[in-house]
């Protein structure tokens, strides 16, 4: 198939079909896992036709096998059976179709399914998809709730009824999908992606009623678990009943044991919130009244103080104190002036007693000799024992009195 072609030299259909068949034949024998969705086996026919569908994508493959191989299956294959088949891909050149010629079919039992789920559980846990730290909190009151569930199912009724009983104004965006079988995951994935893109959807609920392990297998699908983990919108898992625990429960942000529990969890109870508001209002009223009462008592205490009860009284007291201090100052000043006056009088008396006038009045004299040069050589004091009126002769030399004798 590496030869070039052109519009002038195209390949015929037989050449293309033959080359495709040659390439497919190179695959050899392979093992394939899937879910049986259609079995066509006519009585008396040697060949039976089956459709094998991928459990996580909308992809199917035609199988052919001998009718005896199907008849020997115990228990018999039915639509929805999980199987592992061994065969060789075959391209039919005449019809241009691809099929898988099967020579062995193995039913996947419950034990093997549970073992595979457990291995996937350990893988997702190791990658951190179950880590509580990555789980997002639900909004207190979502603007709109996305609901992915089966059409006209009991799970849809339970979620809607319980949510509307708690909050009548709640709004839903409902996407009805298959919730079991081969078409479940291919329908759930696009619905989940669509709701996650809508900005008005604040939370998404995945709901399904109870069922067998095979019925709940889509909710342990790896592709669905990774899609839920990648959602930006919080996701609630409400699958089955309390004992059921698909892997989706561990990946979702919140796990509810039943769809009824999801309806109660997704919105608050309007009656409880109203009661809470009334309690908060009562608490606020009591707190405000208590504060007002405390402030009123404080004002009463302040008004009862003397300074506020009689504001002129302290002023009058201060005025009297000022008058008393002024009087004391006046008396102190008068005492100081009187004392200083007495001291001044005593000083004046001493000065008068010691002055020349008093000396002269007692009959004493001060003799002063004046030289011809009019220079004063000294001052001579009188002698106490000289009689009054006695003339004195004074000898002065070198400015000092040497002798005072009567004349």
């Amino acid at each position: 198939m590496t030869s070039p072609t052109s519009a002038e030299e195209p390949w015929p259909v037989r050449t293309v079909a033959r080359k495709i068949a040659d390439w497919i034949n190179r695959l050899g024998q392979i093992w394939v896992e899937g879910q049986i969705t259609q079995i066509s086996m006519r009585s008396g026919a040697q060949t039976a036709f089956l459709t094998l569908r991928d459990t996580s994508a909308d992809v199917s493959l035609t199988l052919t096998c001998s009718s005896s191989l199907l008849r020997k299956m115990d228990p018999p294959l039915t639509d929805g059976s999980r199987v592992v088949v061994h065969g060789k891909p075959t391209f039919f050149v005449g019809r241009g179709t691809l099929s898988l010629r099967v020579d062995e079919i193995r039913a996947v039992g419950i034990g093997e399914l549970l073992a595979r789920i457990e291995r996937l559980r350990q893988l997702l846990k190791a990658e951190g998809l179950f880590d509580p730290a990555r789980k997002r909190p639900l909004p207190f009151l979502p603007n709109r709730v996305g609901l992915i569930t089966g059409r006209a199912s009991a799970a849809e009724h339970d979620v809607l009824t319980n949510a509307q009983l708690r909050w009548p104004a709640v709004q839903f965006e409902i996407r009805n999908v298959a919730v079991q079988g081969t078409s479940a995951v291919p329908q759930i994935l696009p619905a989940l992606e669509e709701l996650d893109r809508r900005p008005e959807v604040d939370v998404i609920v995945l709901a399904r009623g109870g069922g067998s392990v095979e019925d709940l297998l889509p909710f342990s699908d790896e592709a669905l678990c990774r899609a839920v983990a990648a959602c930006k919108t919080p996701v609630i898992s409400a699958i089955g009943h309390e004992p059921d625990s698909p892997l989706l429960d561990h990946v979702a942000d919140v796990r509810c044991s039943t769809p009824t529990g999801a309806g109660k969890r997704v919105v608050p109870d309007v009656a409880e919130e109203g009661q809470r508001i009334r309690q908060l209002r009562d608490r606020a009223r009591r707190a405000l009244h208590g504060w007002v009462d405390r402030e009123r008592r404080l004002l009463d205490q302040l008004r009862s103080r003397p300074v506020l009860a009689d504001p002129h009284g302290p002023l009058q007291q201060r005025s009297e104190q000022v008058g008393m201090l002024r009087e004391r100052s006046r008396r102190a000043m008068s005492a100081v002036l009187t004392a200083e006056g007495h001291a001044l009088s005593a000083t004046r008396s001493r000065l008068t007693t010691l002055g020349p006038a008093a000396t002269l009045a007692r009959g004493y004299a001060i003799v002063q000799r004046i030289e011809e040069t009019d220079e004063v050589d000294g001052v001579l004091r009188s002698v106490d024992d000289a009689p009054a009126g006695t003339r004195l002769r004074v000898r002065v030399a070198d400015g000092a009195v040497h002798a005072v004798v009567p004349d």
Side-chain angles (χ1 to χ4, degrees), residues 275-320:
Q275 179 65 22
R276 184 176 292 109
I277 291 174
R278 288 190 292 272
Q279 292 175 354
L280 292 175
R281 187 184 296 118
D282 292 340
R283 288 176 56 186
R285 183 184 298 109
R286 290 193 298 270
L288 181 59
H289 288 172
W291 179 81
V292 171
D293 292 340
R294 287 194 301 272
E295 296 301 319
R296 181 180 292 112
R297 287 194 297 270
L298 178 60
L299 290 176
D300 293 340
Q301 293 174 2
L302 292 176
R303 283 198 298 266
S304 64
R305 292 181 180 180
V307 69
L308 294 180
D310 184 16
H312 297 287
L315 296 178
Q316 183 65 31
Q317 294 176 1
R318 294 299 179 185
S319 176
E320 293 175 357

Side-chain angles (χ1 to χ4, degrees), residues 122-233:
Q122 297 301 326
L123 174 63
L124 298 180
K125 182 178 181 180
E127 294 182 10
L129 269 64
F130 297 171
D131 189 356
R134 58 161 293 277
K135 297 182 183 296
R136 293 149 296 191
L138 299 183
F140 171 72
L141 182 60
N143 178 47
R144 193 176 291 269
V145 179
L147 176 60
I148 301 176
T149 186
R151 184 181 301 277
S153 62
E156 178 181 0
H157 176 268
D158 290 344
V159 173
L160 296 179
T161 301
N162 285 277
Q164 290 170 352
L165 285 175
R166 291 172 61 85
W167 198 272
V170 62
Q171 298 182 1
F172 281 90
E173 282 286 338
I174 302 175
R175 298 294 180 269
N176 294 122
V177 297
V179 291
Q180 70 181 55
T182 57
S183 59
V185 174
Q187 292 184 23
I188 293 174
L189 288 177
L192 181 67
E193 182 181 359
E194 178 194 358
L195 292 176
D196 189 41
R197 288 197 308 265
R198 297 176 71 93
E200 66 273 16
V201 175
D202 294 331
V203 62
I204 300 173
V205 179
L206 280 166
R208 187 205 187 282
S212 63
V213 175
E214 295 90 340
D215 293 339
L216 300 181
L217 280 178
F219 299 98
S220 292
D221 184 82
E222 181 177 1
L224 179 58
C225 290
R226 295 188 182 279
V228 169
C231 283
K232 298 179 180 179
T233 307

Side-chain angles (χ1 to χ4, degrees), residues 90-118:
T90 302
F91 186 78
F92 294 94
V93 176
R95 299 192 300 270
T97 58
L98 174 68
S99 67
L100 185 66
R101 182 65 184 180
V102 176
D103 55 22
E104 184 177 354
I105 301 176
R106 298 181 183 178
V108 179
I110 297 299
E112 186 173 354
L113 288 176
L114 294 177
R116 292 183 181 182
I117 292 175
E118 183 60 28

Side-chain angles (χ1 to χ4, degrees), residues 200-386:
E200 66 273 16
V201 175
D202 294 331
V203 62
I204 300 173
V205 179
L206 280 166
R208 187 205 187 282
S212 63
V213 175
E214 295 90 340
D215 293 339
L216 300 181
L217 280 178
F219 299 98
S220 292
D221 184 82
E222 181 177 1
L224 179 58
C225 290
R226 295 188 182 279
V228 169
C231 283
K232 298 179 180 179
T233 307
V235 178
I236 298 178
S237 173
I239 308 302
H241 301 302
E242 181 64 35
D244 300 322
S245 182
L247 297 184
L248 183 64
D249 286 350
H250 303 282
V251 179
D253 298 288
V254 174
R255 185 249 180 184
C256 293
S257 58
T258 61
T260 299
K264 296 178 179 180
R265 182 68 177 82
V266 72
V267 291
D269 189 340
V270 65
E272 293 179 359
E273 297 305 318
Q275 179 65 22
R276 184 176 292 109
I277 291 174
R278 288 190 292 272
Q279 292 175 354
L280 292 175
R281 187 184 296 118
D282 292 340
R283 288 176 56 186
R285 183 184 298 109
R286 290 193 298 270
L288 181 59
H289 288 172
W291 179 81
V292 171
D293 292 340
R294 287 194 301 272
E295 296 301 319
R296 181 180 292 112
R297 287 194 297 270
L298 178 60
L299 290 176
D300 293 340
Q301 293 174 2
L302 292 176
R303 283 198 298 266
S304 64
R305 292 181 180 180
V307 69
L308 294 180
D310 184 16
H312 297 287
L315 296 178
Q316 183 65 31
Q317 294 176 1
R318 294 299 179 185
S319 176
E320 293 175 357
Q321 292 177 0
V322 170
M324 292 171 58
L325 293 175
R326 183 167 38 196
E327 184 62 28
R328 288 173 58 186
S329 299
R330 184 180 297 109
R331 289 196 300 269
M333 185 62 69
S334 298
V336 170
L337 293 176
T338 300
E340 294 300 325
H342 294 326
L344 183 60
S345 298
T347 303
R348 184 183 297 112
S349 298
R350 288 196 300 271
L351 290 176
T352 302
T353 303
L354 299 176
T359 302
L360 294 175
R362 293 198 305 270
Y364 292 89
I366 296 175
V367 179
Q368 196 171 30
R369 184 169 65 86
I370 305 298
E371 300 289 344
E372 294 179 356
T373 58
D374 294 335
E375 293 181 359
V376 178
D377 290 334
V379 176
L380 304 178
R381 293 184 175 90
S382 59
V383 181
D384 292 338
D385 54 357

Side-chain angles (χ1 to χ4, degrees), residues 12-25 89-99:
V13 174
R14 63 183 180 277
T15 301
V16 175
R18 187 175 62 254
K19 290 181 177 294
I20 294 175
D22 292 342
W23 185 83
I24 291 176
N25 288 333
T90 302
F91 186 78
F92 294 94
V93 176
R95 299 192 300 270
T97 58
L98 174 68
S99 67

